Amino acid sequence: MRQTNSASKNNAPRNNAPRNNKLKPSSHLIMNGSVRVRVIRTLLAIQDGHSLSSVLDPLLNSLHDGDKGFAHALLLTTLRQWHALARLLDTLADNPIDEVEVRTTIQVGLVQLLYLEVADHAAIHETVEAAKEIEFAHATGLINAILRKVAKNPSKFRKKCDKKHSLPNWLAYQLKQDWSEQYDALTQGLRQVAPMFLRVNSAVTSVEDYQQSLYGAEIDADIVELTTGFNVANSSETTTILSTKGLRLHQTTAVNALPHFSEGIASVQDMHAQLAAPIINKALMAKLNAEKSDTENTNNEIHILDACAAPGGKLAHWLELLSSNDSSSLFHVKQDDAEAKPLASKLKLTAIDNEAPRIERIYDNLQRLNLKQQDLEQAEKNIALNVVCADATRWQHGKNKKAATNEPVFDAILLDSPCTATGVIRRHPDISILRTEEDIEQTALLQADILHNLWPQLKAGGYLLYVTCSILKQENVEQMQDFITHHNDAAVIEFTEACNWGIAQTIGRQCLPIDSESGDGFYYALLQKTAE
Ligand SMILES: C[S@@+](CC[C@H](N)C(=O)[O-])C[C@H]1O[C@@H](n2cnc3c(N)ncnc32)[C@H](O)[C@@H]1O
């Protein structure tokens, strides 16, 4: 039996911190036995270093439909309350409990009693039976005794459990350093269930019309409108204001219940994640507008980069904006202006990511949204999409071509950087088990390497939008401060007070997942390259 409760950092949730991929399949992933046994095994596999996203489907697929909801709630709630339950457990036993299997089983029992309102006798009996099935019958007396003690006064123990955060101490400490004012609300917010948001494909319909379709399907949703203001130095309009609308569902809903989901009319995407594509797109338009007034030359080919693109959520959003016929499109011309020309005659979009399996998910997403290359060609949008599997710390555009010039080629870069994903713990509560303190430093170094490699590939006057879903300053505002200190040709584009999202930082804005109705903990900073 293993004697520690510390998780390996290997194979941390996919889209984020650096990891090594040598993780062996966990022996705990054999899915048989009762629902509780399977949930306990899944939690043990997560403690072995497997991410929730890699073990959730095998768990749910192994169950009858009638059991899936309970298993899902049991697993996710145990993960959300994990560290608080572990602390409570330490106060309940006379002697320290070291065996991971026993601790995990008791935590699963506690969740049923304190958070899921499972009847006492069922919670205790079934959990003890699960312990027997997993072959540590030697601990059933202890498990039984602890659960009975809690069942006598659940509200007292629930209060105790809710009192502090449910994070590893190193992370709570760092959040206290970074966000002392927001600390209590933030750490409580991170244990809650995140709301479900939809992005509506603006190339196909409006948010208002899709809200009506949802009502028709008896799904209630509110329109959420985020306003962004930023000052573009060399644009004729100094302050750019843009509005981003999405939908927040009143209840989490299976995607196949959403009208026309399979036809690509809507996508599940956090509201704060929906800011990325409109901001970089608007900045790109500001650049092209500025150049247009300089040269009157609009017969131009634009090249843009999505630097860490998989599974393609923000890439698809950007393509939706580029494909729509409204003023967010570079190819749009006002109907009543015969003289007007589009801002771009042709657009090349390169998307890179270093994980081949995740790149497959880009193709799946684009297929559902009718945004594959053939779709773009049929729509006569003149957009050439190139998806590349490459390491953004080293990749150079055109490096493999004979005629490579090493000239900067990109007019705009979206860098949705790998990060510790501490801003999305509500959706991926396994992060609070899988991350280690060392990940912060390692991730910050990776981010700096990517920035360092991509920046020379951005044209003078071009924009780079740096995005993370982290709430740690080292990966965000401090990363940006360090970057501009070492890059004299980087100008910070300030977000103005018109922004109704996030907290202004010395560079960029930070969203915190405090409010149960708001989006995840994203960070945004917009940089422009000045003339060399
Ligand atoms: C935050 S996720 C991107 C999410 C994506 N932009 C979206 O909206 O769906 C970060 C991505 O960076 C990728 N990544 C991590 N290290 C990388 C590297 N060195 N080079 C390229 N991509 C990397 C990961 O595979 C992951 O897909």
Short mmCIF file of all heavy atoms in Angstrom, two decimals, residues 88 91-92 114-115 149-162:
data_model
loop_
_atom_site.label_atom_id
_atom_site.label_comp_id
_atom_site.label_asym_id
_atom_site.label_seq_id
_atom_site.Cartn_x
_atom_site.Cartn_y
_atom_site.Cartn_z
N LEU A 88 -10.69 17.71 7.42
CA LEU A 88 -11.70 17.26 8.37
C LEU A 88 -11.36 15.84 8.84
O LEU A 88 -11.41 15.54 10.04
CB LEU A 88 -13.09 17.29 7.72
CG LEU A 88 -14.23 16.73 8.55
CD1 LEU A 88 -14.46 17.60 9.80
CD2 LEU A 88 -15.53 16.65 7.73
N THR A 91 -9.03 15.42 11.62
CA THR A 91 -9.52 15.73 12.97
C THR A 91 -10.44 14.63 13.51
O THR A 91 -10.79 14.63 14.68
CB THR A 91 -10.32 17.06 12.99
OG1 THR A 91 -11.53 16.85 12.25
CG2 THR A 91 -9.54 18.21 12.40
N LEU A 92 -10.84 13.70 12.63
CA LEU A 92 -11.84 12.71 13.04
C LEU A 92 -11.23 11.40 13.56
O LEU A 92 -11.89 10.67 14.29
CB LEU A 92 -12.75 12.38 11.85
CG LEU A 92 -13.71 13.49 11.41
CD1 LEU A 92 -14.34 13.12 10.07
CD2 LEU A 92 -14.79 13.71 12.46
N LEU A 114 -22.34 14.81 3.82
CA LEU A 114 -22.30 16.27 4.04
C LEU A 114 -22.80 17.08 2.85
O LEU A 114 -23.30 18.18 3.03
CB LEU A 114 -20.87 16.71 4.38
CG LEU A 114 -20.24 16.06 5.61
CD1 LEU A 114 -18.85 16.62 5.86
CD2 LEU A 114 -21.12 16.27 6.84
N TYR A 115 -22.62 16.57 1.64
CA TYR A 115 -22.92 17.41 0.47
C TYR A 115 -24.01 16.85 -0.45
O TYR A 115 -24.65 17.60 -1.15
CB TYR A 115 -21.65 17.65 -0.36
CG TYR A 115 -20.65 18.54 0.35
CD1 TYR A 115 -19.64 17.99 1.13
CD2 TYR A 115 -20.73 19.92 0.27
CE1 TYR A 115 -18.73 18.80 1.80
CE2 TYR A 115 -19.83 20.74 0.94
CZ TYR A 115 -18.84 20.17 1.70
OH TYR A 115 -17.96 20.99 2.37
N LYS A 149 -19.93 8.72 13.23
CA LYS A 149 -19.71 9.91 14.06
C LYS A 149 -20.21 11.16 13.31
O LYS A 149 -20.91 12.01 13.88
CB LYS A 149 -18.19 10.03 14.32
CG LYS A 149 -17.77 11.13 15.25
CD LYS A 149 -16.28 10.91 15.53
CE LYS A 149 -15.64 11.99 16.31
NZ LYS A 149 -14.21 11.72 16.53
N VAL A 150 -19.88 11.25 12.04
CA VAL A 150 -20.27 12.42 11.25
C VAL A 150 -21.79 12.44 11.04
O VAL A 150 -22.42 13.50 11.09
CB VAL A 150 -19.51 12.43 9.91
CG1 VAL A 150 -20.04 13.49 8.96
CG2 VAL A 150 -18.02 12.65 10.17
N ALA A 151 -22.37 11.26 10.82
CA ALA A 151 -23.81 11.19 10.55
C ALA A 151 -24.64 11.66 11.75
O ALA A 151 -25.79 12.06 11.59
CB ALA A 151 -24.19 9.76 10.16
N LYS A 152 -24.05 11.63 12.94
CA LYS A 152 -24.80 12.07 14.13
C LYS A 152 -25.01 13.59 14.12
O LYS A 152 -25.98 14.08 14.68
CB LYS A 152 -24.01 11.69 15.40
CG LYS A 152 -24.26 10.27 15.79
CD LYS A 152 -23.70 10.00 17.18
CE LYS A 152 -23.68 8.50 17.40
NZ LYS A 152 -22.54 8.02 18.11
N ASN A 153 -24.09 14.32 13.53
CA ASN A 153 -24.24 15.78 13.52
C ASN A 153 -23.67 16.37 12.22
O ASN A 153 -22.68 17.10 12.23
CB ASN A 153 -23.49 16.37 14.73
CG ASN A 153 -23.93 17.79 15.00
OD1 ASN A 153 -24.58 18.40 14.15
ND2 ASN A 153 -23.59 18.31 16.17
N PRO A 154 -24.34 16.07 11.10
CA PRO A 154 -23.77 16.47 9.81
C PRO A 154 -23.61 17.99 9.67
O PRO A 154 -22.64 18.45 9.08
CB PRO A 154 -24.74 15.91 8.77
CG PRO A 154 -25.94 15.49 9.53
CD PRO A 154 -25.58 15.29 10.95
N SER A 155 -24.56 18.77 10.22
CA SER A 155 -24.46 20.23 9.99
C SER A 155 -23.22 20.80 10.67
O SER A 155 -22.56 21.69 10.15
CB SER A 155 -25.73 20.96 10.41
OG SER A 155 -25.96 20.71 11.77
N LYS A 156 -22.87 20.25 11.84
CA LYS A 156 -21.65 20.72 12.53
C LYS A 156 -20.40 20.43 11.66
O LYS A 156 -19.55 21.29 11.46
CB LYS A 156 -21.53 19.98 13.87
CG LYS A 156 -20.23 20.26 14.61
CD LYS A 156 -20.17 19.49 15.91
CE LYS A 156 -18.81 18.81 16.07
NZ LYS A 156 -18.76 17.84 17.14
N PHE A 157 -20.37 19.21 11.12
CA PHE A 157 -19.18 18.85 10.34
C PHE A 157 -19.16 19.55 8.97
O PHE A 157 -18.10 19.88 8.46
CB PHE A 157 -19.10 17.33 10.18
CG PHE A 157 -18.76 16.66 11.48
CD1 PHE A 157 -19.72 15.95 12.20
CD2 PHE A 157 -17.48 16.77 12.03
CE1 PHE A 157 -19.40 15.35 13.41
CE2 PHE A 157 -17.16 16.17 13.24
CZ PHE A 157 -18.13 15.46 13.94
N ARG A 158 -20.33 19.80 8.42
CA ARG A 158 -20.40 20.53 7.14
C ARG A 158 -19.84 21.95 7.35
O ARG A 158 -19.08 22.46 6.54
CB ARG A 158 -21.85 20.54 6.65
CG ARG A 158 -22.15 21.49 5.51
CD ARG A 158 -21.70 20.94 4.17
NE ARG A 158 -21.78 21.97 3.15
CZ ARG A 158 -22.66 21.99 2.16
NH1 ARG A 158 -23.52 21.01 2.02
NH2 ARG A 158 -22.67 22.97 1.29
N LYS A 159 -20.26 22.56 8.48
CA LYS A 159 -19.78 23.91 8.78
C LYS A 159 -18.25 23.92 8.88
O LYS A 159 -17.57 24.80 8.36
CB LYS A 159 -20.38 24.38 10.11
CG LYS A 159 -21.23 25.63 9.98
CD LYS A 159 -21.63 26.13 11.33
CE LYS A 159 -23.10 26.47 11.35
NZ LYS A 159 -23.68 26.50 12.66
N LYS A 160 -17.75 22.92 9.56
CA LYS A 160 -16.30 22.80 9.76
C LYS A 160 -15.59 22.68 8.41
O LYS A 160 -14.57 23.30 8.16
CB LYS A 160 -16.05 21.53 10.58
CG LYS A 160 -15.06 21.73 11.70
CD LYS A 160 -15.01 20.48 12.54
CE LYS A 160 -13.67 20.43 13.23
NZ LYS A 160 -13.48 19.26 14.03
N CYS A 161 -16.20 21.87 7.57
CA CYS A 161 -15.60 21.59 6.26
C CYS A 161 -15.63 22.84 5.36
O CYS A 161 -14.70 23.10 4.61
CB CYS A 161 -16.40 20.46 5.61
SG CYS A 161 -15.45 19.45 4.51
N ASP A 162 -16.73 23.61 5.49
CA ASP A 162 -16.91 24.77 4.61
C ASP A 162 -16.10 25.98 5.06
O ASP A 162 -15.96 26.95 4.33
CB ASP A 162 -18.40 25.18 4.57
CG ASP A 162 -19.21 24.23 3.71
OD1 ASP A 162 -18.58 23.44 2.96
OD2 ASP A 162 -20.45 24.28 3.78
#
